[in-house]
Amino acid sequence: MSLQKVRVMSISTFSPVIIHEASYVDEVTRFVARRYATSGYKKVDDADALLQALENEDRLLAPLSTIATMNDDSGRLLCTARVIIRTNAEHVLLPVERVFGYRAPLADGSRLIEIARLASVAGGGFLSMQELMIALYEHVDPDSTKDVVVACLDHSLYKKISMAGGPGRAIGEPLFYFGSETIPIRVDLNSFESLVFKSKQVRFAMK
């Protein structure tokens, strides 16, 4: 599938978000592997093996992936996140299905959307990642009446999000996956949409 790069104007003073549609981006995969190996949140004994595993999975899922990135003024990659989307027309299982055994019967026209590969430079900041997630949300435009949105999160991060009233609930047991104890969650789209709306209000008020 062809690579598309769409520049999405930022709603704050941050750098614009770049959307890579249906593509494998080697720089991004290497960035994620490096951050996983050095962040301190992951337990990675073999960084080369981790990179190879990420490369294999990212290439397999590239046709179903939409990647968001944000760079600084010099072009250095600051943070990234992606969604992987499957419909009944695709037969490749998403990580939440293949690794965690989650099964979501999809009606015609509905999508299984998995949020994945969140990574940022040290001190990259919560707001930058929030910017990426909003850009992905607006680009993918999920339908809360029929789409299913999931994520596989570091278990400790999930606990923090839950304590803060985050819009997700566990849908399986935690497993060791790409360097950390990871738990699959389902995202409540109505609650997430409310957070997006509130975030936009705050951003515009800061201008």
Side-chain angles (χ1 to χ4, degrees):
M1 300 181 70
S2 61
L3 166 63
Q4 300 176 14
K5 291 187 178 180
V6 181
R7 185 171 289 271
V8 179
M9 293 308 296
S10 170
I11 60 173
S12 73
T13 56
F14 290 98
S15 300
V17 174
I18 305 296
I19 299 293
H20 309 257
E21 189 82 56
S23 60
Y24 170 78
V25 184
D26 186 66
E27 177 192 10
V28 173
T29 296
R30 291 180 177 277
F31 174 81
V32 172
R34 186 165 59 251
R35 293 306 306 146
Y36 281 9
T38 61
S39 66
Y41 292 99
K42 303 278 187 177
K43 297 177 181 178
V44 177
D45 296 323
D46 189 335
D48 290 336
L50 172 65
L51 174 59
Q52 187 62 61
L54 282 168
E55 284 181 344
N56 292 342
E57 186 166 282
D58 287 356
R59 289 183 187 277
L60 174 67
L61 297 171
L64 309 180
S65 298
T66 298
I67 303 168
T69 58
M70 186 183 291
N71 299 345
D72 64 13
D73 291 338
S74 68
R76 182 178 65 118
L77 184 57
L78 294 176
C79 52
T80 183
R82 73 184 64 193
V83 290
I84 315 165
I85 303 174
R86 183 179 72 76
T87 66
N88 280 332
E90 287 85 29
H91 301 292
V92 176
L93 296 179
L94 303 193
V96 73
E97 300 173 293
R98 179 177 54 80
V99 177
F100 295 90
Y102 179 66
R103 294 292 181 268
L106 297 177
D108 290 342
S110 64
R111 300 174 295 176
L112 177 61
I113 303 170
E114 179 170 346
I115 303 167
R117 304 287 195 272
L118 280 67
S120 65
V121 298
F126 172 77
L127 291 179
S128 295
M129 186 58 70
Q130 188 178 62
E131 190 94 350
L132 284 184
M133 296 308 301
I134 291 174
L136 277 173
Y137 169 82
E138 293 181 337
H139 186 77
V140 173
D141 192 23
D143 185 335
S144 61
T145 66
K146 57 185 180 181
D147 290 335
V148 177
V149 180
V150 297
C152 297
L153 298 180
D154 178 88
H155 198 196
S156 61
L157 175 61
Y158 168 67
K159 289 179 179 177
K160 293 177 181 178
I161 292 175
S162 296
M163 290 178 64
R169 60 176 177 83
I171 52 175
E173 295 299 320
L175 297 173
F176 194 77
Y177 176 61
F178 284 143
S180 74
E181 189 178 55
T182 302
I183 189 165
I185 70 167
R186 179 162 178 174
V187 178
D188 183 313
L189 266 179
N190 289 321
S191 297
F192 187 79
E193 288 168 357
S194 177
L195 289 176
V196 169
F197 178 74
K198 290 177 181 178
S199 177
K200 284 186 173 183
Q201 286 184 314
V202 170
R203 298 297 181 85
F204 284 121
M206 291 170 62
K207 287 189 173 182

